[in-house]
Amino acid sequence: KSSVCGLMKRLPEDEFVRGVRGLFDQTKSSGTLWIEMSRCYGEGKHTKTLKKEGNKPVCIVRAHTAKKKSKISTFVSEDATALQVALADALGSKCEALKLKAAPDAKKP
């Protein structure tokens, strides 16, 4: 299985966060936004080969909707907390459209 790091549009971290906000706006009334995080060793070669060469793993964050050509990704730099805070802020400010689940009634003894 080859590395999947080079198959989608890769953006710098700040542009990625703006892109996630845009994708979230597109799917606000209907649709789904997927955000995935995974370990990646590099591009173009098998993971086993890249591990043997001594490459350090990096974290790749991907976001996409069901529409074609909506995939974006970024590599997380050494400061992963800054990206996490920016993503949490972007998603938290857009979550007002989510439906709240009704709390289940407590069982009476």
Side-chain angles (χ1 to χ4, degrees):
K1 182 177 177 182
S2 64
S3 176
V4 296
C5 295
L7 298 178
M8 60 189 71
K9 189 189 311 183
R10 189 175 44 209
L11 301 172
E13 291 179 10
D14 56 341
E15 290 181 30
F16 177 78
V17 173
R18 282 194 297 268
V20 167
R21 287 178 194 251
L23 290 174
F24 201 87
D25 286 337
Q26 289 175 7
T27 59
K28 191 170 185 176
S29 61
S30 66
T32 305
L33 172 66
W34 289 275
I35 298 178
E36 305 166 356
M37 298 173 75
S38 67
R39 183 188 302 190
C40 182
Y41 283 91
E43 296 184 44
K45 295 182 180 179
H46 291 288
T47 302
K48 289 180 182 179
T49 306
L50 291 166
K51 281 182 184 178
K52 287 180 185 176
E53 292 175 355
N55 292 347
K56 291 184 178 180
V58 294
C59 181
I60 183 169
V61 182
R62 297 180 282 242
H64 64 92
T65 63
K67 295 180 180 179
K68 289 187 176 186
K69 298 186 179 183
S70 69
K71 298 177 183 179
I72 57 174
S73 65
T74 188
F75 285 120
V76 177
S77 65
E78 297 294 322
D79 187 21
T81 56
L83 180 66
Q84 288 176 340
V85 169
L87 280 175
D89 181 47
L91 296 177
S93 66
K94 303 286 185 178
C95 285
E96 69 271 358
L98 295 176
K99 297 177 184 176
L100 296 175
K101 290 185 177 181
D105 293 332
K107 292 184 179 180
K108 294 180 181 179

Coordinates of all heavy atoms in Angstrom, one line a residue, residues 39-42 45-57:
R39 N -0.9 9.3 10.9 CA 0.5 9.4 10.8 C 1.0 9.1 9.4 O 0.4 8.3 8.7 CB 1.1 8.3 11.7 CG 2.6 8.4 11.7 CD 3.2 7.2 12.5 NE 2.7 7.1 13.8 CZ 3.2 6.3 14.7 NH1 4.2 5.5 14.5 NH2 2.7 6.3 15.9
C40 N 2.0 9.9 8.9 CA 2.4 9.8 7.6 C 4.0 9.9 7.6 O 4.5 10.7 8.3 CB 1.8 10.9 6.7 SG 2.3 10.8 5.0
Y41 N 4.6 9.1 6.8 CA 6.1 9.1 6.8 C 6.7 9.9 5.6 O 7.8 10.1 5.5 CB 6.7 7.7 6.7 CG 6.6 7.0 8.1 CD1 5.5 6.3 8.5 CD2 7.7 7.2 9.0 CE1 5.5 5.7 9.7 CE2 7.6 6.6 10.2 CZ 6.5 5.8 10.6 OH 6.5 5.2 11.8
G42 N 5.9 10.2 4.6 CA 6.4 11.0 3.5 C 5.6 10.7 2.2 O 4.5 10.1 2.3
K45 N 6.7 6.8 -1.7 CA 7.3 5.5 -1.5 C 6.4 4.7 -0.5 O 5.6 5.3 0.2 CB 8.7 5.7 -0.9 CG 9.7 6.3 -1.9 CD 11.0 6.3 -1.2 CE 12.0 7.0 -2.2 NZ 13.4 7.1 -1.5
H46 N 6.7 3.5 -0.4 CA 6.0 2.7 0.6 C 6.4 3.0 2.0 O 7.5 3.5 2.2 CB 6.2 1.2 0.3 CG 5.6 0.7 -0.9 ND1 4.3 0.5 -1.0 CD2 6.1 0.3 -2.1 CE1 4.0 0.0 -2.2 NE2 5.1 -0.1 -2.9
T47 N 5.5 2.9 2.9 CA 5.8 3.3 4.3 C 7.0 2.5 4.9 O 7.8 3.1 5.6 CB 4.5 3.0 5.2 OG1 3.5 3.8 4.6 CG2 4.7 3.5 6.6
K48 N 7.1 1.2 4.6 CA 8.2 0.4 5.1 C 9.6 1.0 4.6 O 10.5 1.0 5.3 CB 8.1 -1.0 4.7 CG 7.0 -1.8 5.4 CD 6.9 -3.2 4.9 CE 5.7 -3.9 5.5 NZ 5.6 -5.3 5.1
T49 N 9.6 1.4 3.3 CA 10.8 2.0 2.8 C 11.2 3.3 3.5 O 12.3 3.5 3.8 CB 10.7 2.2 1.3 OG1 10.3 1.0 0.7 CG2 12.0 2.7 0.7
L50 N 10.2 4.1 3.7 CA 10.4 5.4 4.4 C 10.9 5.2 5.8 O 11.7 5.9 6.3 CB 9.2 6.3 4.3 CG 8.9 6.8 2.9 CD1 7.5 7.3 2.8 CD2 9.9 7.8 2.5
K51 N 10.3 4.2 6.5 CA 10.7 3.9 7.9 C 12.2 3.5 7.9 O 12.9 3.9 8.8 CB 9.8 2.8 8.5 CG 8.5 3.3 9.0 CD 7.7 2.1 9.6 CE 6.4 2.5 10.0 NZ 5.6 1.3 10.6
K52 N 12.6 2.6 7.0 CA 13.9 2.1 6.9 C 14.9 3.2 6.7 O 16.0 3.2 7.1 CB 14.1 1.0 5.9 CG 13.5 -0.3 6.2 CD 13.6 -1.3 5.1 CE 12.9 -2.6 5.4 NZ 13.0 -3.5 4.3
E53 N 14.5 4.2 5.9 CA 15.4 5.4 5.6 C 15.5 6.3 6.8 O 16.3 7.2 6.8 CB 14.8 6.2 4.4 CG 14.9 5.4 3.1 CD 14.3 6.1 2.0 OE1 13.7 7.2 2.2 OE2 14.3 5.6 0.8
G54 N 14.8 6.1 7.9 CA 15.0 6.8 9.1 C 14.1 8.1 9.1 O 14.4 9.0 9.9
N55 N 13.1 8.2 8.3 CA 12.2 9.4 8.3 C 11.4 9.4 9.6 O 10.9 8.3 10.0 CB 11.3 9.4 7.1 CG 12.1 9.7 5.8 OD1 13.3 10.0 5.8 ND2 11.5 9.4 4.7
K56 N 11.2 10.5 10.1 CA 10.3 10.7 11.3 C 8.9 10.8 10.8 O 8.6 11.5 9.8 CB 10.7 11.9 12.1 CG 12.0 11.8 12.8 CD 12.2 13.0 13.7 CE 13.5 12.9 14.4 NZ 13.8 14.1 15.3
P57 N 7.9 10.2 11.5 CA 6.5 10.3 11.1 C 6.0 11.7 11.4 O 6.5 12.4 12.4 CB 5.8 9.3 12.0 CG 6.7 9.1 13.2 CD 8.1 9.3 12.7

